[in-house]
Amino acid sequence: MANNKDFIVKNAVEVGGSTKVTVGDAAAAGSYVKAYDVANASYDSVSFSVSSQESGVTALSFKPDGTVVYVVGTTNDTVYQYSLSTAWDLSSASYGSVNFYVAGQEASPTGLMFKSDGTKMYIVGISSDTIYQYSLSTAWNVSTASYDSVSFSVSSQDTSPRNIQFKSDGTKLYVTGYTNDTIYQYSLSTAYDLSTASYDSVSLSVTSQDTTPTGIFFKSDGTKMYMVGQTNKNIFQYTLSTAWDLSTASYDSVSFSFATQDNAPCSIAFSNSGTKMYMLGQASPAIYQYSTVSAYTITWPSSIEWAGGVSPSAPANGETDLFTITTDDGGTTYTGVKTADNLS
């Protein structure tokens, strides 16, 4: 989608013989919705237990199309793969006995991430404080994984790394540090190649929100980061004024509690559209599904006269509608774009 901002006319008043139009961010109506709405998230009453495979879960990761979810844990030191017959719907999940053992590299895996095309997998753990890189000969099938003999230590920053996330193009890497309650930022001069990684000397302390951070997730455009912690059992939302640059991050004072579902949340993920959120809980252990979308009503001011006498309806999901407002006294013409925020 081309534009994340939503513009409507807020008011139009006569000033000195000219019509002045002011515009601003608009809320949405019907199928025109706001996604990634953590503050107003709601539990879908949908969960999927992974206890038959792993009792000490630590991290989850989704295939980008929502048809596969992966879980790793410290009991069996194994990555387990689950299929979803309906994308992003945990009620359709099943285990197909597909897995990969990582103890040869890491005996206590705590973080899991994949390259965007599914041909690489990355594991971080607390026994060595190191990230390990694997190749998958069949994309997204962990049973075809093999160790690349490539690793990167983060022990100089934190001796208890708990989760990892990549920038969408693979040139940045982020690590959740449990010891120092801090998120750390790294650069990769060759995308997704750990042998080219280096620390940016950029970090973000999250101590004011939670003193036991366990998981992070970035919005695909790098302007939002989400952190989950076990002290307060919440997900917390941050804004990065410069995309993917942690030095510009600030807490939004937005959070959501997972405590009713699990008192030890350890990992989080969102669907590509941002309308669904997932939490992996250690107490159960299970994955829980939430909705993170809100609908709003657009109110156009009565001072605007629409052709045919009817104001336009909200655009359909993913649609961008263009509106041109022209004054009838020779004043400035205003053109604005209204789009379904964050939907694909």
Side-chain angles (χ1 to χ4, degrees), residues 99-303:
N99 57 72
F100 180 73
Y101 187 59
V102 297
Q105 290 74 53
E106 177 55 61
S108 297
T110 54
L112 168 69
M113 188 66 186
F114 289 84
K115 185 179 177 182
S116 55
D117 64 2
T119 61
K120 295 286 184 182
M121 180 178 74
Y122 306 84
I123 293 288
V124 68
I126 56 176
S127 67
S128 62
D129 309 326
T130 295
I131 309 170
Y132 298 91
Q133 178 179 306
Y134 303 80
S135 289
L136 285 72
S137 56
T138 300
W140 303 110
N141 185 339
V142 297
S143 69
T144 70
S146 59
Y147 179 45
D148 287 347
S149 296
V150 174
S151 63
F152 178 71
S153 174
V154 297
S155 60
S156 295
Q157 285 75 57
D158 202 286
T159 55
S160 187
R162 295 300 176 107
N163 208 262
I164 50 177
Q165 284 280 299
F166 277 95
K167 183 181 176 182
S168 51
D169 65 1
T171 62
K172 293 288 183 182
L173 172 68
Y174 307 86
V175 175
T176 308
Y178 190 90
T179 300
N180 298 320
D181 313 324
T182 297
I183 315 301
Y184 300 93
Q185 177 180 306
Y186 304 81
S187 289
L188 290 81
S189 56
T190 300
Y192 292 107
D193 182 354
L194 280 183
S195 68
T196 70
S198 61
Y199 179 45
D200 287 346
S201 297
V202 173
S203 62
L204 174 71
S205 173
V206 296
T207 304
S208 296
Q209 287 75 58
D210 203 288
T211 55
T212 54
T214 53
I216 53 172
F217 186 91
F218 282 82
K219 189 178 174 185
S220 59
D221 64 3
T223 62
K224 294 287 183 182
M225 184 187 78
Y226 304 88
M227 182 271 292
V228 65
Q230 294 188 339
T231 299
N232 295 316
K233 305 163 181 52
N234 283 357
I235 182 173
F236 301 91
Q237 177 181 299
Y238 303 78
T239 292
L240 287 75
S241 56
T242 299
W244 302 109
D245 183 353
L246 270 185
S247 68
T248 70
S250 59
Y251 178 47
D252 290 343
S253 297
V254 172
S255 63
F256 175 80
S257 175
F258 292 128
T260 302
Q261 285 74 54
D262 196 289
N263 62 15
C266 62
S267 189
I268 49 174
F270 287 80
S271 64
N272 281 352
S273 66
T275 61
K276 293 292 180 182
M277 177 174 67
Y278 306 86
M279 179 270 290
L280 178 64
Q282 292 179 331
S284 309
I287 310 171
Y288 299 87
Q289 177 179 307
Y290 303 80
S291 290
T292 51
V293 60
S294 300
Y296 297 87
T297 300
I298 295 175
T299 302
W300 297 93
S302 59
S303 55

Side-chain angles (χ1 to χ4, degrees), residues 60-64 66 68-70 84 88 90 140 269-270 278 287:
L60 85 165
S61 184
F62 275 87
K63 184 180 177 182
V68 185
V69 63
Y70 308 85
L84 288 75
W88 304 112
L90 281 182
W140 303 110
F270 287 80
Y278 306 86
I287 310 171

Side-chain angles (χ1 to χ4, degrees), residues 33-49:
V33 298
K34 177 183 178 183
Y36 290 96
D37 191 357
V38 169
N40 296 301
S42 59
Y43 178 45
D44 287 348
S45 297
V46 174
S47 63
F48 179 71
S49 174

